[in-house]
Amino acid sequence: MRTATRRRYLMCPPAYFDVAYSINPWMDPAKPVDRAIAMAQWERLRDTYLAHGHAVETIEPVPGLPDMVFTANAATVVDGSVLLARFRHAERADEAAAYRTWFHHHGYADVREPVLINEGEGDFVVAGPRILAGAGFRTDRGAHGEAQEIFGLPVISLVLVDERFYHLDTALAVLDDNEIMYYPPAFSPGSQKLLRQLYPDAIVATDDDAAVLGINAVSDGRHVVLPQAARHLVAELRSRGFEVTGVDVSELLKAGGAVKCCTLELR
C-alpha cells in the first residue's frame, strides 16, 4: 500500500489567462482561448487536491499577466526557504514581484532573490534527498549551483534538448522519493544515461503521453494527478499501485502548461 503525504500547494486562478504572445512552441496567439473553460478546469484541479486532503493557498491574479496561473514557475520552496524565480522572458518578468509580495505577506522569513535566471519548480524538481534541475531553454545552468547553496541539497543537472519540453516538469515527474516518470527524448544522451542510472525502474512515457504533457503531473506518494489524455501513463501508474486521477487541462495546454505547472508545493 502506497502512503500519501499531506501537502500544501500555491495556486493562482486563471482570471486573466490568455495566449497573447508566444514564448514556447505550444503557444499560438491566433488560436482562441476560452477563459471560462480554463477556470472550470483549474477549479477541478484545485478541488481534486482538496479531496485528497491537501491544503491549497491561492494568490490573486494580476491583470496583464496571463501566465500567472502557472505558479510552479514562481519559486522553489524547501523547508520554508524560498528561492524566487527570475524569468527569462520579459512577458513574465513582472510575475516575480507579485509572488515576492505573497511570500513576504504569508510569513516566509527566508526569501531569496536569485542572481541567475531560474524558473522555479518548472526546472527545479525536488526528489527526496536531491533536486533534479533542468537547463537548456529557460533556467541557466549556473542557477543549479545557486539552488544547491541555498537549500543544502545535491543538485543533479539535466539538459533538455527538445524545445517542446522547455521546462523539466514537462518531461519528468517525481512520484515518490525514489520513483519518477519521464520522457527520454526530451533529454540529452548524457542526461538520459544519468537518469537510467539513478532511476532504473522509472516509468517511461510514450510519444503520445508527451504530446499531451502527460508527464506534467503531481504526486503525493499515493495519489497521482495528471492530464487525463495520457492513457498509457494512467495504466502504468495504476499497475504500480498508485491511485490516479485524470483531469482535463486542454485549455491550459494551449499555453504549454498542465497539472504541475499550475501547482507550486510549499514545503
Side-chain angles (χ1 to χ4, degrees):
M1 174 69 72
R2 293 189 178 271
T3 303
T5 303
R6 189 171 185 269
R7 312 294 175 101
R8 289 179 63 232
Y9 299 130
L10 178 62
M11 300 181 71
C12 180
Y16 305 107
F17 176 69
D18 198 1
V19 179
Y21 46 77
S22 181
I23 58 173
N24 69 56
W26 304 83
M27 303 178 83
D28 182 356
K31 292 182 178 179
V33 168
D34 190 317
R35 198 170 289 159
I37 292 177
M39 183 65 78
Q41 292 177 351
W42 179 90
E43 289 175 345
R44 168 75 198 286
L45 177 60
R46 178 203 58 196
D47 292 348
T48 298
Y49 293 144
L50 294 173
H52 289 158
H54 304 308
V56 177
E57 307 272 359
T58 57
I59 181 173
E60 280 293 311
V62 176
L65 298 178
D67 280 342
M68 198 169 163
V69 61
F70 302 125
T71 54
N73 307 148
T76 307
V77 185
V78 179
D79 292 335
S81 294
V82 181
L83 174 60
L84 293 169
R86 181 180 173 191
F87 290 93
R88 180 164 297 280
H89 294 287
E91 290 88 345
R92 298 197 65 182
D94 288 343
E95 294 179 37
Y99 284 105
R100 181 188 307 112
T101 298
W102 188 92
F103 281 109
H104 283 307
H105 286 177
H106 285 77
Y108 287 83
D110 185 17
V111 179
R112 309 289 187 95
E113 294 287 344
V115 175
L116 299 170
I117 291 172
N118 86 77
E119 298 206 348
E121 282 196 348
D123 278 320
F124 291 137
V125 177
V126 179
R130 62 173 69 99
I131 296 174
L132 304 176
F137 296 103
R138 296 292 185 87
T139 295
D140 288 347
R141 190 154 185 172
H144 298 178
E146 190 175 357
Q148 183 167 276
E149 285 300 310
I150 289 171
F151 298 125
L153 293 175
V155 174
I156 308 298
S157 294
L158 301 167
V159 178
L160 299 165
V161 296
D162 185 330
E163 64 179 356
R164 294 174 300 163
F165 309 104
Y166 56 94
H167 279 147
L168 183 61
D169 71 356
T170 64
L172 182 150
V174 171
L175 301 173
D176 64 24
D177 286 355
N178 300 299
E179 290 181 88
I180 68 166
M181 59 183 182
Y182 73 110
Y183 180 57
F187 297 90
S188 69
S191 295
Q192 291 184 41
K193 182 177 180 180
L194 181 56
L195 286 168
R196 287 194 300 268
Q197 292 173 346
L198 290 173
Y199 302 101
D201 296 321
I203 294 175
V204 175
T206 65
D207 292 346
D208 288 343
D209 294 327
V212 293
L213 285 187
I215 312 103
N216 194 245
V218 171
S219 173
D220 63 13
R222 177 180 177 184
H223 307 100
V224 180
V225 185
L226 79 170
Q228 64 186 19
R231 295 183 180 89
H232 164 261
L233 288 179
V234 169
E236 282 288 313
L237 288 161
R238 285 177 174 158
S239 75
R240 298 198 184 195
F242 290 98
E243 297 181 21
V244 183
T245 302
V247 293
D248 183 3
V249 287
S250 55
E251 204 64 22
L252 298 166
L253 188 62
K254 293 177 180 179
V259 172
K260 179 65 185 79
C261 291
C262 294
T263 313
L264 174 63
E265 185 168 352
L266 303 173
R267 297 177 186 82

